[in-house]
Amino acid sequence: MRTQVAIIGGGPAGLLLGQLLLKQGIETVVLERRSREYVLARIRAGVLETGLTELAAEAGVAARMQAEGLVHDGTLLAYDDRSFRVDFETLTDKTVLVYGQTELTKDLYDARDAAGGTTFFNCEDVTLHDIETEHPSVTFTHDGQSKTILCDVIAGCDGFHGPSRQAIPENKRREYEKTYPFGWLGILSRTPPVDEELIYANSSRGFALCSMRGTELSRYYIQCPLSDSPDDWEDARFWDELKRRLPEEAADHLVTGPSIDKSIAPLRSFVCEPMQYGRLFLCGDAAHIVPPTGAKGLNTAAGDVSYLYRALMQFYSDGDTHGLETYSQIALQRVWKTQRFSWWMTNLLHRFPEQSEFDLRMQRAELAYLETSEAARRNLAVSYVGLPY
Ligand code: APR
Ligand code: PHB
């Protein structure tokens, strides 16, 4: 089989790239390790930057998100039983859209089917070949049969655990990593959100986040020890702990109910440099991971997709390889700025085991400064709503 761009990974990054390219008549094949049902069952964050919603519109998949998504023009930060608002619209003239990433992934799969895009699910032994040449290929096993895809370019959109990043020779790549000494215990409940906006809370008992997937579906997180498992947290214990970490007024308004999903995720900051090697280009989690505190996972991937999509359009329209040659350099500029914001938000809002009393006072002073300084809130808002591509 031959195609122009072989996309490894049928998550949001791979699908968004595939849809953008298909609309430009550039042939793609998506290779996904899991089933479609498995991919669509993953619970993921749901705060979309304007850049991502505009890219989704360019890909022709924004109709449902615009109809069902919730426009948020601010967020609340809480500490010491106080809370204050960061007004995105006043500070940046921008807003964000709250719309489940699982929904966006579903919209992308539906659009790919409608456009006649080729997707192989349940692919095994996906292996990249000849990526240093102008004729790379991908081999894989599908339905027990060995298959080969000849292509011009491979887009590695296969997440942190995929084969693409590993295809870059170890002596040609440099990896930067920071792990955090806690996890996020998250639950989904069919209850109305505690507030119309998200609440990020720094409490003496640890971080808490109140988010949502709509007006009748709430998503809550609390910082927890990495040694915990979801079974340690029956619903009543979770709700009690969440209430203890929220300002009293929010705790009093919290509507509790049975959890329909409960999981613990570790937090990690990670960047691989470069994000390309020969005709292999990494996008999204294949190249970088952020702690979820700033809701930047998919939003950073969207920046990568935008750069690679436009570089490929140049390449196929007039053979101009400049965009492809500079992809990693350009993408990493935005990746590192987003890494900084996610790292800063994580340090601002979480309790760390080794924090001294002075460290705690610095954290509180940073929050008090945000509460009292418009300039400080604008600095947070500019990154939260999304840096330009
Ligand atoms: N072969 C084919 N597909 C693979 C392989 C493989 N060997 N390994 C992993 N994959 C698939 C995974 O099953 C997954 O569907 O690659 C996809 C990667 O998708 P994500 O992990 O969601 O990463 P990405 O598309 O980069 O999404 C970026 O969006 O969903 C959010 O927070 C999430 O930070 C993430 C961001
Ligand atoms: C979520 O809704 O899952 C979510 C929202 C904001 C974050 C992280 C996760 O910063």
Side-chain angles (χ1 to χ4, degrees):
M1 172 184 268
R2 186 178 191 334
T3 191
Q4 290 173 299
V5 181
I7 299 174
I8 303 177
L15 292 171
L16 182 56
L17 177 65
Q19 197 53 30
L20 287 162
L21 293 174
L22 275 177
K23 284 186 75 73
Q24 297 298 326
I26 298 171
E27 290 172 16
T28 65
V29 172
V30 170
L31 304 179
E32 167 53 50
R33 182 180 61 177
R34 305 286 190 175
S35 68
R36 180 194 294 237
E37 295 70 27
Y38 184 99
V39 173
L40 292 178
R42 288 192 293 233
I43 304 282
R44 289 287 177 74
V47 176
L48 310 186
E49 297 172 357
T50 310
L52 171 48
T53 56
E54 289 170 353
L55 207 53
E58 192 170 345
V61 295
R64 195 160 74 99
M65 78 168 55
Q66 298 300 3
E68 299 176 15
L70 303 173
V71 175
H72 279 210
D73 56 14
T75 190
L76 299 169
L77 269 70
Y79 70 109
D80 297 348
D81 208 31
R82 330 163 46 84
S83 66
F84 62 94
R85 185 164 184 270
V86 180
D87 186 331
F88 303 144
E89 191 141 40
T90 304
L91 294 167
T92 69
D93 287 333
K94 284 186 181 179
T95 58
V96 294
L97 191 72
V98 173
Y99 182 71
Q101 283 180 27
T102 308
E103 301 311 314
L104 171 57
T105 306
K106 185 179 181 311
D107 296 339
L108 284 163
Y109 269 122
D110 291 346
R112 185 165 182 82
D113 292 347
T118 304
T119 307
F120 289 96
F121 292 100
N122 303 306
C123 297
E124 296 175 338
D125 314 317
V126 173
T127 309
L128 294 77
H129 304 276
D130 303 322
I131 58 178
E132 306 91 336
T133 74
E134 294 186 356
H135 306 288
S137 63
V138 183
T139 57
F140 61 105
T141 306
H142 184 259
D143 285 346
Q145 294 209 326
S146 298
K147 295 184 181 294
T148 299
I149 295 182
L150 306 176
C151 54
D152 304 321
V153 162
I154 300 173
C157 304
D158 43 344
F160 185 70
H161 301 288
S164 292
R165 186 176 68 253
Q166 308 299 333
I168 300 177
E170 206 160 345
N171 65 346
K172 299 290 186 184
R173 60 184 149 96
R174 182 165 178 185
E175 298 183 352
Y176 302 82
E177 183 166 21
K178 177 180 181 62
T179 57
Y180 297 85
F182 41 74
W184 275 21
L185 166 62
I187 75 159
L188 198 61
S189 60
R190 289 197 197 290
T191 54
V194 69
D195 194 288
E196 288 179 352
E197 295 184 325
L198 273 61
I199 303 176
Y200 291 84
N202 170 316
S203 90
S204 58
R205 300 176 66 89
F207 170 77
L209 171 60
C210 302
S211 184
M212 61 197 74
R213 291 289 179 276
T215 55
E216 292 305 318
L217 200 56
S218 295
R219 182 73 169 158
Y220 294 106
Y221 299 95
I222 59 172
Q223 170 185 348
C224 70
L226 281 170
S227 54
D228 279 8
S229 87
D231 295 341
D232 297 328
W233 289 87
E234 58 175 23
D235 288 0
R237 182 189 176 200
F238 178 89
W239 292 121
D240 177 56
E241 184 60 35
L242 177 64
K243 286 180 180 178
R244 290 169 180 232
R245 300 189 185 188
L246 297 177
E248 191 175 341
E249 186 187 356
D252 291 345
H253 282 95
L254 184 69
V255 177
T256 65
S259 59
I260 53 178
D261 179 84
K262 191 182 291 176
S263 58
I264 293 179
L267 276 69
R268 177 202 319 261
S269 298
F270 174 88
V271 178
C272 170
E273 289 189 356
M275 289 175 52
Q276 67 186 92
Y277 185 74
R279 285 293 180 91
L280 169 63
F281 299 86
L282 304 180
C283 281
D285 277 17
H288 41 72
I289 297 285
V290 283
T293 326
K296 293 301 174 195
L298 180 55
N299 290 305
T300 313
D304 301 344
V305 166
S306 177
Y307 297 133
L308 185 55
Y309 158 57
R310 301 197 195 287
L312 286 166
M313 277 209 297
Q314 268 181 339
F315 174 62
Y316 282 110
S317 60
D318 57 22
D320 179 350
T321 59
H322 180 70
L324 290 178
E325 288 161 7
T326 57
Y327 165 74
S328 176
Q329 171 201 337
I330 300 297
L332 282 168
Q333 288 172 16
R334 188 172 189 269
V335 164
W336 278 113
K337 290 172 188 172
T338 308
Q339 287 282 338
R340 179 210 67 83
F341 175 69
S342 304
W343 165 83
W344 177 76
M345 282 282 276
T346 304
N347 281 283
L348 175 71
L349 295 167
H350 290 77
R351 281 292 192 271
F352 289 73
E354 75 286 353
Q355 268 174 324
S356 67
E357 285 305 312
F358 179 81
D359 295 333
L360 291 171
R361 291 310 296 263
M362 284 297 97
Q363 216 178 40
R364 192 185 185 289
E366 182 87 46
L367 286 159
Y369 179 50
L370 281 163
E371 183 177 11
T372 56
S373 162
E374 182 179 291
R377 288 195 300 280
R378 178 173 286 107
N379 182 45
L380 185 156
V382 163
S383 282
Y384 195 97
V385 299
L387 299 173
Y389 291 166

